[in-house]
Amino acid sequence: MRFTLRQLSYFIAAAETGSVTRAAEQVNISQPSISAAISHLEIEFGAQLFVRHHAQGLSLTPAGQRLLVAAKDALRTTQGLYEVVNSAMGVVAGPINLGSFRTFTPLIVPELWKGFVTRYPDAQLHITEGSEAELLEGLRNARIDVALTYEISLTADMNFVPLAELPTYVLLAADHPLATRPKLRLADLEQEPFILLDLPLARQYFLSLFERAGLAPRVIAETSLPSAIRSYVGAGIGFSMMTVRPRNMSAENGYPLAYVELEDDFPPMKLGLASLKELKPSRVAEALEEFCRELIHDGSLPGMVSIPGPPSAA
């Protein structure tokens, strides 16, 4: 073997950042060292790994994309040598990158992160936020090891460990005439202005609920920011539908909100951990799964309140 693991790590940094400069900052090494490692690997493998864009960074070639997955797998295998010893000694140590769907990241992940590293101080947990589609891509190209996401987004090449079910609910301004109802049907909302969460897959899911009921929503606004949806709804601009249910019942602009259960017989969203089938989980990944099972389950969702009912005092 005429290349080193260090050269592979420099290549990975350049591939993930798309820049020699940012890669050098990430691994705390000089830019010429990054460039030299890339050039060495291209000569060794006889293939161009990057397309160099003047003043616009780097992008992977098809060969580079395949090498990125293999290089991460190689480094993971090497890390596994340490894990063999750590496992024999009962130690959970090493890095793991957890991807998290951005709508529930601020609710679930802080408590998860703090609790996990408190229990396993030798583990290094890194968080990558994204949409459902971005998390799938991250799993496939090995940027993340495991993803906290919904089952609805998964494909046949993924494993899924279910943790909890999240029913869809109606989000309304606290003073909206429908906010006092114990339950609502989609038919009650068809003429109401609808603010749609515009994220890949999530968008299609919410629109499909109306389609299944034979209704056409009156969409007046779309945004990819859950915080913006809450503020628009709180100000009385329209209603929305969500699955995550923050314990804080006020929008970011201070307006009070109401959560109303959806009466229609729609299956709840399943929240859980997704991973790529072809990759063997590390000991750290196994420990993270065990911890998630303890922390996240029906009746216990960090940062969230049950529907219906007032927020808990915790």
Side-chain angles (χ1 to χ4, degrees):
M1 188 173 66
R2 291 172 292 184
F3 59 87
T4 67
L5 294 175
R6 188 180 299 277
Q7 287 170 329
L8 286 183
S9 69
Y10 293 171
F11 162 74
I12 291 170
E16 290 184 333
T17 61
S19 164
V20 170
T21 301
R22 290 198 295 272
E25 294 172 350
Q26 178 174 295
V27 299
N28 194 28
I29 198 70
S30 68
Q31 294 182 39
S33 296
I34 299 290
S35 298
I38 293 171
S39 296
H40 180 89
L41 292 173
E42 289 183 322
I43 293 171
E44 177 65 22
F45 291 116
Q48 183 177 347
L49 302 176
F50 290 100
V51 176
R52 279 78 167 172
H53 305 285
H54 180 65
Q56 295 182 357
L58 307 169
S59 60
L60 285 168
T61 64
Q65 292 172 351
R66 297 188 68 175
L67 180 61
L68 176 61
V69 175
K72 286 196 168 187
D73 192 42
L75 293 184
R76 188 180 292 110
T77 300
T78 303
Q79 179 65 35
L81 298 176
Y82 293 96
E83 291 180 358
V84 168
V85 178
N86 288 336
S87 179
M89 298 174 64
V91 175
V92 174
I96 183 168
N97 195 325
L98 172 68
S100 178
F101 186 42
R102 62 169 56 99
T103 61
F104 49 65
T105 295
L107 304 177
I108 296 178
V109 171
E111 188 172 335
L112 189 160
W113 191 346
K114 180 180 179 181
F116 184 71
V117 298
T118 298
R119 179 176 297 183
Y120 303 110
D122 293 321
Q124 297 91 49
L125 181 61
H126 306 282
I127 306 298
T128 299
E129 302 170 14
S131 68
E132 292 156 310
E134 289 169 336
L135 295 179
L136 287 179
E137 181 184 1
L139 288 169
R140 290 195 180 100
N141 62 27
R143 284 203 311 270
I144 58 179
D145 301 300
V146 63
L148 188 64
T149 187
Y150 292 122
E151 185 182 31
I152 192 173
S153 64
L154 301 187
T155 49
D157 57 341
M158 299 289 170
N159 284 318
F160 184 74
V161 177
L163 297 172
E165 294 185 343
L166 278 74
T168 301
Y169 68 92
V170 181
L171 181 66
L172 295 162
D175 60 358
H176 192 286
L178 296 176
T180 57
R181 298 268 195 97
K183 294 184 178 181
L184 287 169
R185 300 182 64 86
L186 284 186
D188 300 325
L189 302 161
E190 187 177 21
Q191 300 305 315
E192 296 287 329
F194 180 39
I195 302 169
L196 177 64
L197 178 62
D198 187 19
L199 288 173
L201 301 178
R203 171 192 176 90
Q204 292 92 313
Y205 169 74
F206 289 119
L207 291 178
S208 73
L209 300 186
F210 285 94
E211 183 178 357
R212 188 181 308 180
L215 303 171
R218 185 182 154 207
V219 179
I220 63 161
E222 303 175 16
T223 177
S224 62
L225 300 174
S227 58
I229 284 182
R230 289 168 60 84
S231 290
Y232 293 155
V233 170
I237 296 171
F239 82 97
S240 190
M241 294 194 301
M242 303 287 283
T243 52
V244 297
R245 39 191 194 269
R247 194 173 295 161
N248 181 3
M249 301 288 286
S250 295
E252 280 70 359
N253 54 6
Y255 287 104
L257 298 166
Y259 304 162
V260 181
E261 186 178 358
L262 193 59
E263 186 175 356
D264 301 77
D265 186 22
F266 298 128
M269 296 280 274
K270 291 184 180 180
L271 169 68
L273 294 172
S275 59
L276 200 61
K277 285 182 178 179
E278 66 183 41
L279 293 181
K280 183 180 183 299
S282 66
R283 177 67 187 98
V284 185
E286 291 174 341
L288 180 63
E289 178 184 323
E290 293 167 6
F291 186 79
C292 286
R293 287 179 182 273
E294 294 178 23
L295 182 69
I296 305 168
H297 52 82
D298 292 331
S300 176
L301 288 160
M304 297 193 206
V305 64
S306 299
I307 301 296
S312 88

